[in-house]
Amino acid sequence: MLLPLAGGALFFPGLFALCNWWLRRERPRWSDSDRAMVSTRVVSSVQAVLATGSGIIIIRSCRNVLRDRHWLAREYVWFLVPYMIYDIYAMYLCESYRTEDRRHSFTIFRNFLSKNRLMITHHAVILFILVPVTQTLRGELGDFFVGCIFTAELSTPFVSLGRILIQFKQQHTLLYKVNGILTLTTFLACRILLFPYMYWSYGQLQELSLYQVPFHIPFFCNVANAFLIAPQIYWFSLLCKKAFRLFDAPPAKKDD
């Protein structure tokens, strides 16, 4: 427990500081806001790759989706805890850099809470509910499903790249459009269809159909999954709206 906690506490802030330092040298004309935003997105993408890789290893190792064990299912959660705390601070730091008048720190903090309340709530649920559930309350069961939840991070690098391209006004590029398609595809597969897949996997073990599974698992499991998938559906709807505006926009007129 202590080793992955300490590792995460050093790794994620350290990677952010390293990216910020490198950008300060290589992109001296960039603003502090640009450097902080890009550094934050790089760290988020690295965490997503680590989480997805851990999830795939766990899934492939657990033949019995209920009882098979893998050490990453517990250890990576402890490694993830410092990241959640760091990420909240990194989001606040980006908000403070975007604010021209930095003297009114309370105003900055209030704006930060207002703009990011869903994401902050998401992080708080992970820290105060999912961590105790995965590390203590579930006992010796369900490493496979923890691995599945880890793979939900697969879409994060594409979301991060999209935010960077928007920051530098590159929405008109082919890269932005291709990245948008990949964002929608990975988000749908790994953050929404993931839940029916987990129900189906449990059903295969217990010889149940997909529709029977919700009635054969504890009620709180259904409630927890509902709370997890609800914000994902909301975020996916926002992504779809952005994609529709992008591809529905009329082409720019060429000069005669």
Side-chain angles (χ1 to χ4, degrees):
M1 169 183 169
L2 293 179
L3 185 60
L5 276 174
L10 292 173
F11 179 75
F12 294 113
L15 181 58
F16 175 84
L18 180 63
C19 290
N20 213 19
W21 170 80
W22 185 83
L23 289 173
R24 192 179 296 276
R25 289 190 58 189
E26 298 298 323
R27 297 292 186 270
R29 295 185 180 180
W30 282 13
S31 66
D32 289 339
S33 177
D34 289 339
R35 285 193 290 266
M37 188 277 297
V38 172
S39 298
T40 300
R41 295 298 172 183
V42 169
V43 176
S44 296
S45 298
V46 170
Q47 190 284 133
V49 170
L50 293 175
T52 302
S54 299
I56 292 172
I57 292 172
I58 295 167
I59 291 169
R60 290 176 60 88
S61 300
C62 295
R63 300 296 183 182
N64 185 308
V65 302
L66 194 60
R67 301 190 180 279
D68 283 356
R69 309 298 311 281
H70 195 283
W71 62 272
L72 274 173
R74 290 191 182 276
E75 296 304 314
Y76 192 80
V77 173
W78 293 126
F79 188 68
L80 185 64
V81 167
Y83 169 78
M84 290 295 166
I85 299 171
Y86 144 81
D87 196 46
I88 293 174
Y89 173 74
M91 289 189 293
Y92 172 75
L93 186 64
C94 291
E95 179 65 27
S96 68
Y97 279 138
R98 282 195 295 266
T99 304
E100 294 182 0
D101 187 358
R102 301 180 189 173
R103 293 172 297 177
H104 304 293
S105 57
F106 178 76
T107 302
I108 297 172
F109 185 69
R110 185 179 60 188
N111 291 338
F112 165 70
L113 292 179
S114 177
K115 292 179 180 178
N116 299 279
R117 51 182 181 270
L118 182 58
M119 185 62 71
I120 293 172
T121 302
H122 174 261
H123 282 35
V125 167
I126 291 175
L127 286 172
F128 298 113
I129 297 179
L130 291 187
V131 169
V133 167
T134 58
Q135 302 302 78
T136 303
L137 298 180
R138 69 185 177 91
E140 304 295 316
L141 304 175
D143 282 13
F144 172 86
F145 300 108
V146 175
C148 288
I149 296 298
F150 286 165
T151 63
E153 291 293 315
L154 179 61
S155 62
T156 298
F158 303 107
V159 174
S160 296
L161 178 57
R163 295 287 179 85
I164 292 173
L165 293 173
I166 290 173
Q167 181 77 8
F168 295 103
K169 298 179 172 58
Q170 298 298 308
Q171 297 95 315
H172 62 283
T173 61
L174 178 61
L175 174 61
Y176 182 81
K177 294 182 178 181
V178 172
N179 183 72
I181 294 172
L182 292 173
T183 300
L184 288 173
T185 303
T186 54
F187 202 101
L188 176 63
C190 296
R191 293 194 178 229
I192 296 178
L193 298 182
L194 171 70
F195 290 89
Y197 170 73
M198 290 193 292
Y199 277 66
W200 176 83
S201 299
Y202 180 81
Q204 292 295 298
L205 177 68
Q206 303 293 349
E207 298 183 349
L208 299 170
S209 70
L210 178 62
Y211 302 105
Q212 292 175 312
V213 172
F215 303 101
H216 287 78
I217 62 176
F219 176 72
F220 72 87
C221 291
N222 291 315
V223 173
N225 286 328
F227 273 105
L228 286 173
I229 198 174
Q232 311 304 331
I233 293 175
Y234 172 72
W235 284 323
F236 184 69
S237 69
L238 295 182
L239 289 172
C240 288
K241 289 178 181 178
K242 290 181 180 179
F244 179 78
R245 288 197 300 266
L246 175 65
F247 290 99
D248 192 54
K253 295 181 179 180
K254 296 182 181 180
D255 295 333
D256 295 332

